[in-house]
Amino acid sequence: MSSEKQYIELYEQAREMIFSHAPESMNVVRDQAFEDFRKQGFPSKKVERYKYTDMQKLFEPDYGVNLSRLQIPVDPYEAFRCDVPNLSTSLYFVVNDMFYHDEKPKGHLPEGVIIGSMRDYPELVSKYYTKLAKTSEDAITALNTMLAQDGMLVYVPRNVKVDRAIQVINILKGTPQNAQRAVPDLMVNRRVLIVLEEGAEIKMLFCDHAADDKNFLATQVIEAYVGENASLDLYCMEETHHKNVRVSNVYIDQQANSRVNHNVITLHNGITRNKLDLTFSGEGAECQCYGCVIADKQQHVDNNTLIVHKVPHCTSQELYKYVLDDKSTGAFAGRVLVEHGAQKTSSQMTNQNLTATKEARMYTQPMLEIYADDVKCAHGSTVGQLNDAALFYMRQRGISLQEAKVLLQNAFINEVIDHMQLEPLRDRLHYLVEKRFRGELNKCSGCKLCK
């Protein structure tokens, strides 16, 4: 059976069940998403934006999908001990693709701020849902839209500032083996909708963790509307395991004088494919996009970005760094599109990569497409190995070869981490990255889920 056919048949057979366990605000676009998916099918490697990751192969296995919304037993508050020390966050959980409602009391949110399940706020969701993530333009987004049955809504009203960072823990948890309808391998479809009205501010940290030693396939679609003079800090960190496949599409729209800081950190994974589409819709907006990837064994990480400058006087900056060891592979494809009339655009794209072995592979493709004449745009990419002269210098001073490699790799990747605005998170990542290079970070310290 082809990769597409099994999902087409699944939807046709389980459509009523999917609808019965999902809110109307998500159901109203579901059939159109199905038609868009059926027309497109999974993109082949001949499709430009998917040339470095074989999506058809990723979706080929027969994964179970929890369409009947069985409750999977897990108490995140008991199991989760991976929070960042000294980072005062409001903590929320998503178990697979279901917003976790059994919350303990947490810090009071400012008046009007909403953080909850999409099913509880139908009017807000209907106004924004799928307006950025167009199912006609991406098959993975279409698949997620036709199967997602719940999602997380984050809404910050006009001129409201959320001082405490919001930390969202995405926990992958399989059904127990002795369950009546146990599913050995599981596919989950997460959905996040972020709406910041004019002058609003929020910082969000998403952490992905796997609770079981099972095969997981997670699709994720995040839509973020950033209003005029609003500010969004969005951090996405993955610490799963080698059996996990993660396909994430992030869509961001920025209005005039808004600010976005987007960070992607991959510390442990199996196969990861991240896509970012960011559009400047109002003048004077700026974004900073950073990526940090550490991979070894046979791990694969593919980051694909598109930044569209539709209007004048906007600024974008991208910096993605990879350290690849063993037989791991990495890919970065970044495109900046400056449309007609987008004068005074400023854009800088940089991708720098270290391959620690001859077997590691890195594919990089930075691109500029400019249709305005008064702009300042640049891009660059490098792929190399550790500096032999620096290694020799340190070894001459009594430092072992392994320690010298760790020091150089740390210095290389720290440039990305140092740009992060949350200081406690930044300090914690310095610690985690060093442990990762030393081979000590097999799971988060104190986490009961991974034991």
Side-chain angles (χ1 to χ4, degrees):
M1 183 182 295
S2 68
S3 301
E4 298 88 1
K5 188 176 180 181
Q6 65 172 322
Y7 291 102
I8 292 171
E9 291 185 356
L10 171 66
Y11 186 81
E12 290 175 337
Q13 295 169 5
R15 180 181 180 276
E16 290 187 10
M17 179 188 297
I18 296 172
F19 271 68
S20 65
H21 292 283
E24 178 61 23
S25 55
M26 301 180 77
N27 286 337
V28 70
V29 296
R30 198 178 301 280
D31 283 341
Q32 184 58 55
F34 170 68
E35 291 300 326
D36 289 334
F37 175 75
R38 183 158 61 176
K39 289 177 185 176
Q40 299 173 72
F42 288 114
S44 71
K45 296 181 75 172
K46 293 181 180 179
V47 177
E48 182 66 26
R49 294 199 72 179
Y50 287 93
K51 64 191 295 184
Y52 298 117
T53 302
D54 190 344
M55 304 305 293
Q56 294 178 345
K57 184 177 180 180
L58 293 187
F59 286 86
E60 197 173 77
D62 183 16
Y63 288 95
V65 186
N66 186 14
L67 299 179
S68 59
R69 314 316 282 165
L70 295 174
Q71 291 296 321
I72 296 178
V74 58
D75 184 351
Y77 292 97
E78 287 298 319
F80 182 72
R81 295 289 184 271
C82 308
D83 53 319
V84 180
N86 304 318
L87 181 60
S88 180
T89 62
S90 292
L91 196 60
Y92 295 85
F93 293 94
V94 174
V95 179
N96 292 332
D97 48 17
M98 299 173 66
F99 185 82
Y100 187 76
H101 288 276
D102 300 332
E103 303 172 7
K104 290 184 179 179
K106 49 174 58 69
H108 178 69
L109 293 171
E111 185 177 355
V113 175
I114 296 172
I115 298 177
S117 170
M118 284 188 187
R119 63 178 61 246
D120 297 329
Y121 304 93
E123 291 185 8
L124 260 177
V125 172
S126 297
K127 184 177 179 181
Y128 294 98
Y129 187 62
T130 70
K131 299 302 186 295
L132 294 181
K134 293 180 171 56
T135 58
S136 61
E137 298 178 2
D138 186 273
I140 307 302
T141 296
L143 178 69
N144 177 281
T145 304
M146 82 186 207
L147 294 179
Q149 295 169 284
D150 193 9
M152 183 176 192
L153 171 66
V154 178
Y155 172 78
V156 185
R158 182 176 180 178
N159 294 326
V160 173
K161 180 178 180 181
V162 182
D163 293 321
R164 174 176 284 189
I166 305 299
Q167 187 173 8
V168 181
I169 312 302
N170 294 318
I171 295 179
L172 294 169
K173 174 69 174 176
T175 55
Q177 293 292 342
N178 58 354
Q180 186 176 1
R181 299 169 64 184
V183 177
D185 302 329
L186 189 65
M187 174 187 184
V188 303
N189 300 283
R190 300 194 199 104
R191 199 73 187 216
V192 181
L193 178 60
I194 302 172
V195 180
L196 306 187
E197 299 286 5
E198 179 182 348
E201 294 185 21
I202 196 170
K203 294 180 175 66
M204 300 204 66
L205 169 61
F206 288 87
C207 302
D208 284 13
H209 297 276
D212 289 325
D213 185 27
K214 294 183 179 181
N215 296 314
F216 291 102
L217 169 60
T219 74
Q220 174 177 270
V221 174
I222 298 177
E223 296 178 274
Y225 298 81
V226 186
E228 187 173 343
N229 293 305
S231 176
L232 171 65
D233 283 18
L234 181 60
Y235 302 86
C236 300
M237 183 167 68
E238 182 179 6
E239 288 184 279
T240 55
H241 56 55
H242 71 283
K243 294 183 179 180
N244 187 63
V245 176
R246 178 180 188 266
V247 183
S248 174
N249 291 354
V250 177
Y251 299 88
I252 301 176
D253 180 80
Q254 291 190 238
Q255 296 298 317
N257 302 307
S258 61
R259 185 192 68 83
V260 166
N261 184 11
H262 180 255
N263 296 262
V264 177
I265 307 109
T266 306
L267 294 183
H268 272 297
N269 73 307
I271 298 175
T272 297
R273 208 277 177 171
N274 298 316
K275 188 180 85 160
L276 169 66
D277 284 16
L278 186 148
T279 302
F280 291 112
S281 298
E283 295 188 27
E286 63 178 50
C287 74
Q288 293 182 322
C289 304
Y290 299 106
C292 165
V293 174
I294 302 172
D296 56 13
K297 302 179 179 66
Q298 296 187 4
Q299 296 166 352
H300 175 88
V301 184
D302 177 358
N303 282 294
N304 188 292
T305 69
L306 170 63
I307 296 180
V308 181
H309 289 258
K310 295 179 66 174
V311 294
H313 302 285
C314 292
T315 301
S316 64
Q317 181 174 342
E318 292 181 81
L319 175 61
Y320 281 74
K321 285 195 170 190
Y322 290 62
V323 176
L324 305 176
D325 206 343
D326 299 330
K327 296 182 179 181
S328 60
T329 59
F332 172 81
R335 178 179 170 220
V336 174
L337 171 60
V338 182
E339 296 188 350
H340 290 285
Q343 308 296 344
K344 302 296 182 181
T345 286
S346 177
S347 178
Q348 173 67 49
M349 181 197 307
T350 305
N351 173 226
Q352 297 176 334
N353 312 284
L354 271 181
T355 53
T357 65
K358 293 182 179 180
E359 291 78 20
R361 293 289 181 268
M362 182 67 202
Y363 303 91
T364 178
Q365 188 181 22
M367 295 171 281
L368 294 176
E369 192 172 343
I370 302 172
Y371 297 98
D373 55 11
D374 186 9
V375 300
K376 183 179 180 181
C377 299
H379 70 319
S381 177
T382 61
V383 180
Q385 295 184 324
L386 293 173
N387 187 287
D388 289 336
L391 288 172
F392 178 78
Y393 177 85
M394 287 188 282
R395 294 198 69 187
Q396 288 293 96
R397 280 146 184 80
I399 300 174
S400 69
L401 177 60
Q402 183 60 35
E403 183 67 17
K405 287 182 177 180
V406 170
L407 292 173
L408 288 178
Q409 290 172 336
N410 258 324
F412 176 79
I413 212 75
N414 281 346
E415 181 184 359
V416 175
I417 298 174
D418 288 339
H419 281 289
M420 296 182 182
Q421 302 297 312
L422 289 174
E423 185 175 348
L425 174 61
R426 187 168 64 237
D427 294 340
R428 178 65 173 168
L429 279 174
H430 281 304
Y431 169 74
L432 291 177
V433 165
E434 182 174 351
K435 291 196 71 175
R436 179 71 171 88
F437 284 133
R438 295 183 186 279
E440 300 172 5
L441 188 61
N442 294 320
K443 58 180 179 291
C444 304
S445 176
C447 181
K448 296 179 181 179
L449 287 173
C450 306
K451 293 182 178 179

